[in-house]
């Protein structure tokens, strides 16, 4: 309910093999992210737009932490406009890093 009423929100997740990496796309039907904010939203404490209540909520750290984690394993993260409106957040991880993380989860490390 942060940006769209709960009964109207939609989220889709896709995982795609792309050029030796795994790309994960998370697409929603919210208000989207203005193009001029798409690079800055990954900065600490930056908040783009307003919530459905009219005021920004949260600390502005979630996407910054996500970027740190993704880049730590050699990946990259970005935001684009979703087809038909909304936002598309995506990240790619080198297959070796993604597969190593999956093996650790399975092995219980």
């Amino acid at each position: 309910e942060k940006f769209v009423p709960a009964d109207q929100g939609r989220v889709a997740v896709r995982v795609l093999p792309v050029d030796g990496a795994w790309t994960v796309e998370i697409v929603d039907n919210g208000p989207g992210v203005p193009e001029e904010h798409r690079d800055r939203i990954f900065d600490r404490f930056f908040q783009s737009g307003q919530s459905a209540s009219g005021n920004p909520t949260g600390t502005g750290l979630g996407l910054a932490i996500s970027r740190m984690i993704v880049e730590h394993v050699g990946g990259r993260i970005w935001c684009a406009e979703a087809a038909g409106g909304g936002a598309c957040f995506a990240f790619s991880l080198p297959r070796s890093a993604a597969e190593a993380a999956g093996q650790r989860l399975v092995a219980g490390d």
Side-chain angles (χ1 to χ4, degrees):
E1 293 188 344
K2 189 170 182 178
F3 295 103
V4 176
D7 61 342
Q8 297 174 17
R10 304 283 184 270
V11 176
V13 178
R14 294 189 324 167
V15 179
L16 309 162
V18 179
D19 298 329
W22 290 106
T23 296
V24 178
E25 297 178 342
I26 302 98
V27 179
D28 68 30
N29 69 329
V33 178
E35 188 172 355
E36 65 270 15
H37 292 177
R38 290 184 193 149
D39 289 332
R40 296 190 57 214
I41 60 172
F42 296 99
D43 294 343
R44 289 181 298 183
F45 307 113
F46 183 81
Q47 294 181 335
S48 176
Q50 295 183 337
S51 68
S53 67
N55 297 314
T57 59
T59 61
L61 290 173
L63 290 174
I65 292 169
S66 298
R67 181 179 65 186
M68 289 172 47
I69 293 168
V70 167
E71 289 179 351
H72 179 75
V73 296
R76 93 182 169 89
I77 189 168
W78 65 94
C79 176
E81 183 175 353
C88 174
F89 286 88
F91 63 92
S92 65
L93 300 174
R95 285 190 188 181
S96 58
E99 290 165 1
Q103 290 172 359
R104 283 193 300 274
L105 290 174
V106 171
D109 294 342

